[in-house]
């Protein structure tokens, strides 16, 4: 330990971040040492602010600063369609497409019985309460296209079908710009099954 | 912009870090949202602390919290040998080897006339002052083995030689564990020139 202790502490904390190894932590720490205080301290403040002001939207469980998130507060969204996702970051991904203008519902994970995540660990009861009190025509199950996501979608579909609400699922198929050669078999077989007449 | 503003601000600040693109910034931001406040705020505090307490050692220009850095303060170091490096991070690299027990001198860069970095922009005058006032037998020029580093080493060697102080340079050669096939020609030709009799 021939490092200044405060620098060593910073390195330790940086290494805790996901995807940051000791080399990246060092690179970031030295960048911080060589960069003006104002710029560097803005990051420290942004971290502190996020932890003190951001919590879950009381309606859809997206990240929010007020009681409702920006999407739930907007009057430009179609309140008749709810897109159900596993995590708030999935909302960010869908919003980037600009292809969806309804509301969201964040489950807070996907069913994984082996890891002890059953329906009660997810916000499924909250979803059913919303469907009972809001005027919803359709829910889009946008959980991930893997075992947990499919199981979760199937589970929710079974609960919602009797309520006379359309239940849909994101299409599976070829990634746009992909090549047949590089697509895995499961995806390719889904793309064949779901082929569209031109 | 359907993101909570504080979260968006955090993403913007994270993307400023070296080696962090928008995907990594997102991953880190969501990790921060999902991690307990105490852990996350320790990073914010470490950043603030580093910027307020760490500055340059008045003797060797390593990072330090007191007037002198931990290495200059230690009574276990050989004060007769000074290892000259470009940046404080180079000290960390050499200290990790455990192969050097002398003192350091940080130049704060390497000569790069094309970018306007001449001898006056580096801490070369400070080095000469140390050589005049301290009892130094040898300086090891550990600038990088590239054009700027070699130029800097040659420049300092010319200044120091007349002072009756041994001037040495880190050896160039094959990286240990490397394969002949994968080593670039310049390194390999240096390794041949500097071959040692067994």
């Amino acid at each position: 330990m021939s490092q200044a202790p405060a620098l060593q502490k910073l390195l330790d904390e940086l290494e805790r971040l996901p995807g940051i190894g000791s080399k990246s932590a060092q690179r970031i720490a030295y960048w911080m040492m060589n960069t003006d205080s104002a710029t560097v301290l803005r990051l420290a403040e942004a971290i502190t602010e996020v932890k003190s002001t951001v919590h879950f939207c009381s309606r859809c469980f997206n990240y929010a600063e007020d009681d409702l998130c920006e999407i739930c507060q907007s009057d430009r969204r179609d309140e008749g369609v709810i897109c159900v996702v596993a995590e708030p970051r999935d909302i960010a991904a869908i919003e980037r497409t600009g292809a969806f203008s309804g509301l969201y519902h964040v489950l807070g994970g996907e069913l994984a019985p082996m890891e002890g995540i059953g329906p009660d660990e997810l916000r499924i009861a909250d979803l059913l309460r919303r469907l009972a009190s809001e005027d919803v025509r359709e829910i889009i199950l946008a959980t991930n296209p893997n075992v947990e996501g499919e199981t979760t979608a199937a589970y929710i579909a079974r609960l919602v079908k009797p309520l006379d609400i359309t239940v849909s699922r994101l299409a599976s198929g070829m990634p746009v710009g992909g090549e047949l050669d590089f697509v895995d078999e499961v995806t390719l077989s889904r793309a064949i099954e779901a082929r569209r007449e031109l």
Side-chain angles (χ1 to χ4, degrees), chain A:
Chain A
M1 247 297 291
S2 54
Q3 205 91 271
L7 187 56
Q8 188 58 51
K9 206 161 96 190
L10 175 61
L11 286 168
D12 293 344
E13 295 303 332
L14 286 171
E15 282 183 38
R16 269 183 237 283
L17 300 178
I20 303 292
S22 68
K23 281 273 169 193
S24 314
Q26 237 182 56
R27 196 165 159 207
I28 294 172
Y30 285 120
W31 174 86
M32 285 178 176
M33 293 302 303
N34 289 323
T35 303
D36 66 293
S37 277
T39 304
V40 175
L41 294 181
R42 268 206 309 276
L43 171 59
E45 284 154 22
I47 294 171
T48 311
E49 199 188 327
V50 144
K51 292 306 280 186
S52 68
T53 66
V54 180
H55 49 258
F56 290 122
C57 170
S58 66
R59 185 185 193 185
C60 77
F61 302 95
N62 184 12
Y63 293 131
E65 295 189 23
D66 303 315
D67 179 48
L68 291 180
C69 73
E70 305 228 328
I71 294 172
C72 284
Q73 277 183 48
S74 167
D75 49 11
R76 296 208 200 148
R77 312 288 305 203
D78 178 353
E79 308 214 334
V81 190
I82 293 180
C83 179
V84 178
V85 295
E87 300 287 352
R89 63 170 160 261
D90 301 325
I91 294 183
I94 294 174
E95 286 296 297
R96 275 195 298 274
T97 67
F100 178 71
S101 64
L103 302 181
Y104 291 93
H105 187 84
V106 180
L107 295 172
E110 291 172 336
L111 292 175
M114 306 288 281
E115 294 161 40
I117 303 176
D120 294 345
E121 273 67 51
L122 304 179
R123 301 195 195 95
I124 293 175
D126 298 286
L127 174 63
L128 296 176
R129 260 193 295 279
R130 282 183 72 181
L131 298 181
S133 64
E134 298 177 22
D135 194 14
V136 179
R137 324 183 283 284
E138 178 179 357
I139 68 168
I140 303 174
L141 298 170
T143 49
N144 291 305
N146 55 24
V147 177
E148 291 81 9
E150 297 292 357
T151 310
T152 311
Y155 181 87
I156 295 175
R158 221 171 20 240
L159 291 175
V160 176
K161 279 264 174 70
L163 304 179
D164 196 26
I165 290 172
T166 307
V167 178
S168 63
R169 177 107 180 90
L170 290 189
S172 285
M174 294 281 298
V176 178
E179 290 177 41
L180 272 184
D181 231 20
F182 287 97
V183 170
D184 66 284
E185 298 125 63
V186 183
T187 301
L188 190 50
S189 70
R190 289 276 183 91
I192 296 170
E193 284 162 30
R195 67 193 178 277
R196 295 189 306 164
E197 206 176 305
L198 295 178

